[in-house]
């Protein structure tokens, strides 16, 4: 029985149409196709679970000293090999790689910089909860033969493409090249991603928030006041009841928000002095912010637009408030009042 998707638009066809329309060039089309193929390989490895011998810790640490899962390392290698095989379309920077030296990739043929978190939420792997790959594409500055960290330090608004692949009950690739946010579902029978939702839109209002409330005592007062009012629901100043979700896998939480609205928050907390948040700007916050804004949502640090931030370090962290535009604005008002 041919798959139901056989009549639909494949990712390959979608990308060719975008190139024909002049919205992307051939090299960016190839780079996105290479990343998608790598995500298909990662999806296969993740879906094997215990049968694939890839669960558990790798016994190594990433550039931030965090324990790596075997699948973190495997996913990282799959993406690097895919880019190399694809002809070094981009110089790469990853959450898992140490970049103390200029990134020694061959000069990227397509003139792009690819940043990625190869397996976000990997602590969920061993308990069979959805995880994902997040990627961001920037232009490599003219004339740069060997990209160094400094060449990646561009504001998120400079991204030419961003996306994630969520390895859940189905594997989905969600992508923007600056012309809307679109969702593709992996048809395992065809081995291809198929367009299943064009132009995702986030409702401007919501009754659902996502945050790790166990950090409440570490938040700044404005944040404590904002969440207290969410929890007060219709008996408090917000005048409506809210629901809460927290999957602790950013890709899964953001996918829910792109699909039905909500606000996702990982605020600054005083748990780790000197760290302005947990999530990384370059390969978590920026790509998710572009996807969310392209779907009609908002993405803020609580005090300003994430995509306008001027990065200073490749692995820097940032507070994240993203999702339904009016709810993000409400959260910002609590911070503005506190700062006044
Ligand atoms: P916590 C996963 O480790 C991650 O980077 C994001 O995917 C997720 O949103 C967040 O951290 C979860 O953090 O503190 O709730 O475990």
């Amino acid at each position: 029985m041919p798959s139901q998707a056989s009549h639909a638009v494949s990712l390959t066809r979608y990308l060719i149409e975008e190139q024909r329309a002049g919205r992307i060039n051939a090299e960016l089309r190839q780079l996105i196709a290479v990343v998608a193929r790598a995500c298909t390989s990662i999806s296969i490895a993740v879906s094997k679970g215990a049968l694939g011998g890839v669960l558990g810790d790798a016994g190594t640490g990433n550039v931030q000293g965090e324990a790596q899962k075997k699948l973190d390392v495997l996913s990282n290698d799959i993406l690097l090999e895919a880019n190399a095989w694809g002809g070094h379309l981009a110089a790469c920077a990853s959450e898992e790689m140490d970049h103390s030296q200029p990134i020694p990739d061959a000069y990227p043929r397509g003139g792009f910089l690819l940043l990625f978190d190869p397996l976000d939420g990997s602590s969920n792997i061993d308990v069979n909860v959805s995880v994902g790959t997040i990627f961001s594409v920037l232009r490599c500055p003219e004339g740069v033969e060997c990209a160094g960290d400094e060449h990646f330090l561009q504001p998120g608004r400079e991204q030419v493409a961003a996306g994630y692949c969520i390895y859940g009950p189905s594997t989905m690739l969600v992508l923007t090249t600056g012309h809307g946010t679109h969702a593709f579902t992996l048809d395992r029978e065809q081995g291809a991603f198929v367009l299943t939702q064009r132009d995702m839109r986030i409702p401007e209002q919501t009754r659902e928030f996502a945050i790790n409330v166990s950090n409440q005592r570490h938040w700044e007062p404005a944040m404590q006041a904002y969440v207290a009012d969410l929890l007060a629901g219709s008996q408090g100043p917000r005048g409506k009841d809210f629901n809460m979700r927290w999957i602790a896998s950013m890709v899964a939480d953001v996918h829910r928000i792109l699909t039905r609205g909500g606000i996702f928050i990982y605020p600054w907390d005083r748990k780790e002095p000197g760290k302005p948040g947990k999530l990384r700007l370059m390969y978590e916050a920026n790509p998710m912010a572009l996807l969310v804004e392209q779907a009609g949502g908002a993405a803020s640090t609580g005090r300003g637009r994430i995509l306008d931030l001027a990065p200073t370090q490749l692995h820097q962290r940032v507070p994240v408030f993203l999702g339904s535009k009016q709810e993000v604005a409400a959260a910002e008002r609590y911070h503005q009042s506190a700062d006044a």
Side-chain angles (χ1 to χ4, degrees):
M1 170 71 174
S3 95
Q4 295 300 313
S6 55
H7 63 286
V9 174
S10 68
L11 175 64
T12 303
R13 183 174 151 196
Y14 169 83
L15 293 172
I16 289 168
E17 287 170 356
E18 289 301 290
Q19 182 184 340
R20 283 184 180 149
R23 289 192 280 266
I24 61 175
N25 67 17
E27 285 81 10
L28 182 54
R29 171 175 59 78
Q30 291 171 48
L31 179 57
I32 295 170
V34 157
V35 171
R37 264 197 299 280
C39 290
T40 302
S41 301
I42 295 170
S43 174
I44 292 167
V46 166
S47 66
K48 287 179 181 170
L51 300 178
V54 290
L55 296 185
D57 290 347
T60 53
N62 66 12
V63 67
Q64 287 123 45
E66 296 161 335
Q68 290 175 307
K69 297 287 186 184
K70 289 177 191 168
L71 271 171
D72 279 322
V73 177
L74 175 62
S75 304
N76 192 63
D77 293 349
I78 288 172
L79 280 153
L80 290 175
E81 285 160 18
N83 177 54
W85 174 84
H88 286 292
L89 289 160
C92 296
S94 153
E95 179 186 29
E96 304 302 335
M97 287 159 64
D98 179 4
H99 296 288
S100 52
Q101 302 300 324
I103 295 151
D105 262 7
Y107 180 55
R109 180 161 57 86
F112 296 107
L113 303 176
L114 174 66
L115 299 106
F116 53 87
D117 182 356
L119 206 63
D120 180 73
S122 57
S123 57
N124 284 312
I125 275 279
D126 297 343
V127 294
N128 201 22
V129 167
S130 300
V131 293
T133 297
I134 309 172
F135 64 92
S136 167
V137 183
L138 295 164
R139 286 188 185 80
C140 189
E142 285 297 323
V144 170
E145 288 298 320
C146 184
D149 284 9
E150 67 278 13
H151 301 114
F152 286 83
L153 300 183
Q154 303 174 34
R157 63 175 180 265
E158 296 302 322
Q159 293 173 100
V160 294
Y164 62 79
C165 193
I166 178 170
Y167 312 114
S170 66
T171 289
M172 294 183 74
L173 182 77
V174 177
L175 171 71
T176 184
T177 57
H179 307 283
T181 295
H182 313 287
F184 301 80
T185 302
L186 180 62
D187 178 339
R188 291 186 185 277
E189 293 166 10
Q190 305 283 337
F193 282 101
V194 175
L195 181 62
T196 45
Q197 189 171 354
R198 198 185 283 270
D199 275 328
M200 301 178 90
R201 301 304 293 171
I202 300 176
E204 291 210 1
Q205 298 190 3
T206 185
R207 290 174 178 266
E208 194 160 72
F209 67 97
I211 193 167
N212 182 342
V213 175
S214 71
N215 296 322
Q216 191 271 352
R217 66 187 182 281
H218 302 296
W219 298 334
E220 60 179 294
M223 193 58 220
Q224 291 174 336
Y226 169 61
V227 173
D229 287 348
L230 294 176
L231 294 172
S234 54
Q235 293 156 15
R238 298 302 308 274
K240 61 181 181 179
D241 291 337
F242 285 80
N243 190 23
M244 196 195 93
R245 288 284 181 275
W246 187 249
I247 305 173
S249 179
M250 186 184 196
V251 171
D253 280 311
V254 170
H255 189 73
R256 184 190 59 254
I257 284 165
L258 277 167
T259 305
R260 72 183 191 207
I263 183 170
F264 170 93
I265 307 168
Y266 212 108
W268 172 89
D269 63 45
R270 58 175 60 84
K271 266 201 310 188
E272 297 192 52
K275 285 186 181 174
K278 175 174 185 183
L279 302 177
R280 284 77 171 187
L281 172 63
M282 298 305 295
Y283 40 80
E284 288 175 313
N286 272 342
M288 292 308 202
L290 187 62
L291 288 162
V292 164
E293 286 199 4
Q294 284 291 317
S300 168
T301 63
R303 292 179 165 87
R305 186 183 183 225
I306 284 176
L307 292 182
D308 287 337
L309 281 179
T312 55
Q313 291 173 359
L314 193 58
H315 300 288
Q316 76 183 72
R317 301 165 190 265
V318 67
V320 176
F321 297 70
L322 60 77
S324 294
K325 185 180 284 189
Q326 292 192 18
E327 195 54 43
V328 171
E332 288 182 322
R333 284 195 292 274
Y334 281 75
H335 290 81
Q336 288 154 6
S337 308
D339 295 347

